[in-house]
Amino acid sequence: MSSLPKAESPVTQPIYVTQPSLPSLEAFLPYLQEIWKNKLLTNGGPYHQTFEQALCDYLGVKHLALFTNGTIALVTALQALRITGEVITTPYSFVATAHSLLWNGVKPVFVDIDAKTLNLDPAKIEAAITPHTTAILPVHVYGHPCDMEAIQKIADNYNLKVVYDAAHAFGVQCHSGSVLNHGDLSVLSFHATKVFNTFEGGAIICPDAKTKQRIDHLKNFGFVDEVTVVAPGINGKMSEFNAAFGLLQLQHIDQALARRKEIDAVYRKQLADTKGVLCLGDAGEVVANYAYFPLLVQRDHPLSRDGLLQKLKDHGIFARRYFYPLITDFPMYRALPSAQRENLPVATDASAKVLCLPIYPALRPEEQQRVIDIIKGT
Ligand code: T4K
């Protein structure tokens, strides 16, 4: 008996939560030829320089330092500001957020999130501040901006630094322009799964040239010149391959964001009256990036969150539980007093309900409809 599909049954591809947008291979070839010609593969080559400037222009920021990935950028951002002691952060994020604190020998203090945005709740920050607190590390989860005004007010009152994990927030704008201009530093990720990708990559947005210079030294082992090392820096440099790819990707980003917006609108429209599911609203951003589509599966849905996840999987659709487990459930964090579930009821609840649905430019309308039909139980 043959296990091949019958001729009339369509062969369906798996549908992942995301898929990187890629330009045509032919379009990338001239960039590769240039790299081959220059023989400059990394350490701040010509593409690196051009890409930094192009990103500043596109994002509406003054200074930006490219990195090999978002995690090393986060670690370096904290190092650059000489953060020590305790830092207030969210349990509802990718584990790299809290890991960046441990890599700096800093103790994370977890604070619960806001039920509407799933971002760090500013109303709960003050109670967690101790004489050892030096900074706040909030995350613009799913690209929805934090309440940056409230966070900055607290930081100013207590003389704390603010480093935003903006891994999801490429291109997001609030009333005052790019969200990336808030806080002391913001950190982007250009990982393959992000709205804008350079295979792997990341960046720190810096408020001034002096801070950028310090960060540039730190990402190059601490070298200031050939014979001077000023700090125990790391190798966080972006290669010419990734920078060249990023430059090419920038040409297509607006188109990609527009397609994401359409997909987001279809989900919202079709799922609005569906029993047992809630679509997360925006957080007041003026320009969104539709990086993720989080759905909160309620108790009155015929299936549990994990039941729905499995049903989708059975149909070749790979939704993801971003963010389950909570960071505070991982062994290196769970013994901390702030990691206890009683301290984090909103995050615990969201983590049990969330399911991120497929959203990426190449998602075809009929594929999206399949996802919707399964959720609606039709
Ligand atoms: N802060 C926050 C808030 C973050 O979300 C992240 C990263 C960071 C910091 C750290 O930034 P980086 O150091 O990564 O630059 C993914 C990503 O690896 C991670 O970058 C991301 N957050 C996190 C939310 O998601 P996984 O383990 O879920 O990825 P994975 O490999 O299961 O991929 C998900 C789906 O995407 C796959 O099922 C298929 C598709 N995919 C993935 C890759 C890698 C592709 O189609 N092509 C690909 O190349 O962590």
Side-chain angles (χ1 to χ4, degrees):
M1 274 246 312
S2 161
S3 59
L4 286 174
K6 289 188 195 125
E8 66 271 18
S9 63
V11 180
T12 50
Q13 299 292 328
I15 302 172
Y16 296 111
V17 68
T18 187
Q19 224 175 48
S21 309
L22 293 171
S24 76
L25 203 50
E26 291 72 35
F28 193 40
L29 284 179
Y31 291 80
L32 289 178
Q33 282 162 344
E34 188 68 15
I35 295 173
W36 258 244
K37 195 176 87 196
N38 293 337
K39 295 192 171 49
L40 274 172
L41 307 188
T42 186
N43 289 8
Y47 279 126
H48 185 282
Q49 309 222 354
T50 317
F51 184 38
E52 274 194 350
Q53 190 52 53
L55 272 178
C56 284
D57 296 343
Y58 180 82
L59 295 169
V61 303
K62 283 215 177 79
H63 304 276
L64 174 151
L66 290 171
F67 271 78
T68 184
N69 62 57
T71 306
I72 296 288
L74 270 176
V75 171
T76 306
L78 296 163
Q79 186 189 9
L81 296 176
R82 299 181 173 84
I83 302 299
T84 57
E86 295 176 4
V87 169
I88 290 170
T89 192
T90 170
Y92 193 80
S93 181
F94 190 58
V95 72
T97 308
H99 278 359
S100 69
L101 295 170
L102 294 195
W103 275 99
N104 276 280
V106 168
K107 180 177 167 189
V109 174
F110 295 101
V111 160
D112 208 2
I113 56 174
D114 174 82
K116 268 209 177 114
T117 63
L118 308 188
N119 286 329
L120 193 61
D121 185 348
K124 295 182 186 138
I125 292 177
E126 268 188 281
I129 296 174
T130 75
H132 305 293
T133 312
T134 57
I136 309 171
L137 175 60
V139 181
H140 301 302
V141 178
Y142 309 131
H144 299 309
C146 295
D147 185 345
M148 297 176 290
E149 214 174 291
I151 290 171
Q152 197 55 53
K153 216 179 238 173
I154 298 166
D156 291 344
N157 283 345
Y158 290 87
N159 196 22
L160 306 176
K161 300 280 188 201
V162 183
V163 176
Y164 281 105
D165 180 338
H168 301 176
F170 186 94
V172 175
Q173 293 192 21
C174 51
H175 287 287
S176 55
S178 172
V179 295
L180 303 171
N181 287 320
H182 290 259
D184 292 276
L185 295 172
S186 286
V187 175
L188 286 168
S189 163
F190 308 145
H191 183 261
T193 54
K194 298 295 189 287
V195 286
F196 176 81
N197 89 82
T198 58
F199 282 49
E200 291 270 4
I204 302 180
I205 287 75
C206 324
D208 54 69
K210 200 170 157 221
T211 312
K212 171 171 160 54
Q213 193 179 53
R214 174 163 163 75
I215 287 170
D216 282 344
H217 294 157
L218 288 175
K219 78 177 187 192
N220 188 26
F221 314 95
F223 273 108
V224 167
D225 60 41
E226 232 176 279
V227 292
T228 318
V229 173
V230 291
I234 199 153
N235 182 358
K237 293 169 273 108
M238 177 180 273
S239 82
E240 283 292 274
F241 178 93
N242 303 93
F245 187 76
L247 264 176
L248 180 57
Q249 287 286 72
L250 261 189
Q251 295 175 16
H252 306 284
I253 182 69
D254 286 336
Q255 218 181 329
L257 292 177
R259 177 67 192 121
R260 283 177 175 275
K261 185 176 181 172
E262 287 171 4
I263 295 168
D264 179 279
V266 171
Y267 276 138
R268 278 182 200 287
K269 188 163 174 229
Q270 293 215 36
L271 294 174
D273 301 324
T274 304
K275 194 173 166 223
V277 295
L278 264 181
C279 303
L280 194 75
D282 66 36
E285 56 266 45
V286 175
V287 178
N289 68 2
Y290 313 97
Y292 295 83
F293 196 90
L295 191 74
L296 298 167
V297 184
Q298 309 296 307
R299 284 190 185 88
D300 56 348
H301 191 274
L303 291 173
S304 67
R305 187 272 309 270
D306 288 354
L308 184 55
L309 175 75
Q310 187 56 49
K311 189 169 176 196
L312 288 164
K313 212 178 263 181
D314 293 343
H315 288 78
I317 298 158
F318 298 88
R320 290 297 286 266
R321 292 166 293 180
Y322 295 131
F323 292 101
Y324 169 86
L326 290 176
I327 295 178
T328 40
D329 289 333
F330 293 122
M332 65 296 295
Y333 300 105
R334 64 177 167 225
L336 290 167
S338 66
Q340 304 314 301
R341 291 214 173 151
E342 314 82 80
N343 186 44
L344 309 165
V346 182
T348 303
D349 185 59
S351 180
K353 289 179 174 164
V354 73
L355 203 54
C356 285
L357 302 182
I359 183 165
Y360 51 90
L363 184 69
R364 286 181 283 129
E366 61 275 21
E367 291 176 322
Q368 185 178 14
Q369 196 57 52
R370 261 170 60 206
V371 178
I372 292 167
D373 290 346
I374 291 166
I375 295 167
K376 282 171 160 291
T378 52

